[in-house]
Amino acid sequence: MVPALLSLSLSRLGLWALGLILVLGFLKFIRLLVRRQFLAKAMDSFPGPPTHWLFGHALEIQQTGSLDKVVSWAHQFPYAHPLWFGQFLGFLNIYEPDYAKAVYSRGDPKAPDVYNYFLQWIGKGLLVLDGPTWFQHRKLLTPGFHYDVLKPYVKVFADSTHTMLDKWEEKARKDKSFDIFSDVGHMALDSLMKCTFGKGNSGLGHRDHNYYLAVSDLTLLMQQRIASLQYHNDFIYWLTPHGRRFLRACQVAHDHTDQVIRERKAALQDEKEQKKIQNRRHLDFLDILLGALDENGLKLSDADLRAEVDTFMFEGHDTTTSGISWFLYCMALNPEHQHRCREEVREILGDRDSFQWDDLGKMTYLTMCIKESLRLYPPVPQVYRQLSKPVSFVDGRSLPAGSLVSLHIYALHRNSAVWPDPEVFDPLRFSPENVTGRHPFAFMPFSAGPRNCIGQQFAMNEMKVVTALCLLRFEFAVDPLQPPIKLLQLVLRSKNGIYLHLKPLGSGTEK
């Protein structure tokens, strides 16, 4: 009798649970429909490309060549057009300077529909925070990017670069092209480990290598999740193999950061270690974070520390890797500009054997070439905001508060109404006379406005040092049999790597 009653109770409990799931699912569906209606109505006055009945524009966005597809849409729909990831997530995709200014000159928060996917990985760091907490963190982190802090990093960048270039000397002897992207990634991570954690000159260890692989995996999984309707629900996503792979990669990244923070905190308890840190030639990013105090004298919590370190490691490593790799590709494509950059760098260096901080400001032609490569190949091709208040655009159209906006930096930088012959590599676009009078929101490789990239000076300095040293040691040429295939994976990568031929330049190089 008792087993029968128990079986009956379990059956009823199962039915109740099923009923509850169905009701909650139905309510969630109604909520999605209401939101879709709001987003669609908000973009009523903006025509756009046709959508798939289920996937919206997601299928086209996932295909190879999607970046240039958006550029073709930009020709067809001036200023902006709707962009749908599935049927329930819709953005106004903008790529015109006045439209960019209307949104990005304000402090609207990042779109949670996209950036909440980052929370499991990088937590609530500067990238995803908004409001007073964002302002507090920005204020605490700003001293970490003061030029007095950045000055000693010139040698750090150079040391890591020389290690990479020595490896390239060996590879170049085989007289075959090779993929530079992964080597640049390891070099950028090595530099960042030294600048963030005060890591020594021993190079990347096994744990660091695993961290590099985990970050690469996370950026790929994140981009796939954003573009895949079936992965948008957290509960469903964590049950999938894709979601479990994401969690495993997060764990590797978190274990790495936590261990470094624990070791530094333990070192600060030891008087001898404290003296060593105080006597170092430069403070690293972690020193500055651990010593940062707000106006009430409070330090960052352990959770805040990890979030900001993880954010800096992601943003400072992956984006720089992309920027340097695509710059070298541009140099390989344009040997006349490559030669001119090399001559400028040689003249600046003279008979010295290393670069100084003051040299970076003299690299005028190299800087113009770096900016032109960032125009054609922006490391972060697309960023997203959610409007906290209505916005009116220059042509009279508007969006209500709560609308989602995608700034397509790649399409903005190839907008023919702004950039004549946009596909042509022309560094003189960034000469002083050509920059004067250009719209301040026409060139946005580091975003713009109050939420621009806090580390842009750090990134530009690293790019100058690394690329100058590369050009002194090698001549770069493209491999016509393996042209890179652009791939948006949060940052701009190549689906098949960036294969270049390298010719060592011998005695004229810096050692």
Side-chain angles (χ1 to χ4, degrees), residues 119-386:
L119 293 177
Q120 189 70 33
W121 172 16
I122 61 175
K124 293 189 175 180
L126 206 59
L127 179 67
V128 295
L129 285 172
D130 64 271
T133 314
W134 171 82
F135 182 78
Q136 179 205 27
H137 279 227
R138 177 94 179 193
K139 193 174 177 182
L140 287 174
L141 267 59
T142 297
F145 299 96
H146 189 272
Y147 74 91
D148 282 335
V149 175
L150 298 178
K151 276 183 181 180
Y153 291 166
V154 171
K155 185 177 187 310
V156 174
F157 299 149
D159 289 344
S160 296
T161 305
H162 282 308
T163 302
M164 176 184 74
L165 297 179
D166 290 342
K167 289 178 185 173
W168 283 2
E169 289 272 2
E170 293 177 23
K171 290 185 178 183
R173 287 194 195 106
K174 296 176 183 176
D175 202 25
K176 285 173 24 178
S177 70
F178 59 88
D179 176 22
I180 65 164
F181 204 98
S182 58
D183 289 335
V184 173
H186 279 83
M187 178 277 301
L189 179 58
D190 186 53
S191 287
L192 207 58
M193 296 286 284
K194 293 170 185 172
C195 297
T196 308
F197 304 127
K199 180 179 163 57
N201 290 319
S202 56
L204 294 181
H206 176 69
R207 192 181 57 163
D208 303 325
H209 180 68
N210 287 342
Y211 177 82
Y212 170 75
L213 294 176
V215 170
S216 298
D217 213 19
L218 286 165
T219 58
L220 169 64
L221 296 170
M222 191 86 73
Q223 186 64 36
Q224 289 174 344
R225 186 180 183 190
I226 291 167
S228 302
L229 175 66
Q230 68 271 27
Y231 293 151
H232 285 186
N233 180 273
D234 279 346
F235 179 76
I236 294 171
Y237 182 64
W238 302 131
L239 295 175
T240 65
H242 198 281
R244 290 195 295 272
R245 181 179 160 196
F246 183 87
L247 289 174
R248 285 195 299 272
C250 277
Q251 194 60 52
V252 172
H254 292 164
D255 288 348
H256 182 277
T257 305
D258 288 343
Q259 186 168 340
V260 173
I261 291 173
R262 278 198 306 272
E263 288 170 357
R264 179 59 56 83
K265 281 191 166 182
L268 288 172
Q269 302 303 313
D270 185 290
E271 284 188 21
K272 287 183 180 178
E273 288 298 320
Q274 269 190 331
K275 285 182 181 176
K276 276 186 192 176
I277 291 169
Q278 287 166 0
N279 292 332
R280 277 209 310 256
R281 281 176 295 176
H282 68 271
L283 292 176
D284 58 50
F285 188 64
L286 188 54
D287 291 328
I288 291 160
L289 284 181
L290 287 168
L293 299 172
D294 66 13
E295 57 271 16
N296 298 316
L298 298 175
K299 292 190 173 186
L300 291 170
S301 68
D302 285 350
D304 288 339
L305 267 175
R306 185 172 87 177
E308 295 303 352
V309 168
D310 282 341
T311 297
F312 184 54
M313 290 300 292
F314 160 61
E315 293 202 272
H317 151 242
D318 244 20
T319 53
T320 308
T321 300
S322 174
I324 293 168
S325 299
W326 286 106
F327 169 84
L328 293 175
Y329 174 67
C330 287
M331 291 292 95
L333 276 177
N334 300 275
E336 68 281 10
H337 297 300
Q338 179 182 165
H339 175 74
R340 189 166 169 185
C341 286
R342 185 178 294 112
E343 289 305 305
E344 177 184 71
V345 170
R346 281 177 175 164
E347 190 176 330
I348 290 168
L349 193 61
D351 57 1
R352 290 180 289 122
D353 62 0
S354 61
F355 288 116
Q356 307 298 323
W357 168 263
D358 292 340
D359 293 330
L360 304 188
K362 300 171 187 174
M363 298 176 179
T364 52
Y365 199 77
L366 179 69
T367 301
M368 288 193 289
C369 286
I370 288 173
K371 288 182 176 179
E372 178 66 347
S373 74
L374 291 174
R375 181 188 70 81
L376 284 167
Y377 302 100
V380 182
Q382 196 169 8
V383 291
Y384 309 89
R385 293 283 190 271
Q386 179 169 334

Side-chain angles (χ1 to χ4, degrees), residues 319 370-371 373-375 377-381 383 409 412-413 430 442-448 453 456 460:
T319 53
I370 288 173
K371 288 182 176 179
S373 74
L374 291 174
R375 181 188 70 81
Y377 302 100
V380 182
V383 291
I409 296 172
L412 171 70
H413 286 181
F430 294 95
F443 180 63
M444 296 175 62
F446 300 104
S447 191
C453 174
Q456 61 183 286
M460 282 298 293

Side-chain angles (χ1 to χ4, degrees), residues 81-134:
H81 68 76
L83 184 65
W84 289 92
F85 295 108
Q87 282 300 308
F88 301 111
L89 184 57
F91 295 83
L92 183 69
N93 193 39
I94 64 176
Y95 31 75
E96 194 276 335
D98 282 317
Y99 265 57
K101 181 182 179 182
V103 176
Y104 284 79
S105 61
R106 315 186 324 178
D108 295 278
K110 300 289 178 75
D113 300 81
V114 173
Y115 292 95
N116 278 359
Y117 298 148
F118 283 83
L119 293 177
Q120 189 70 33
W121 172 16
I122 61 175
K124 293 189 175 180
L126 206 59
L127 179 67
V128 295
L129 285 172
D130 64 271
T133 314
W134 171 82

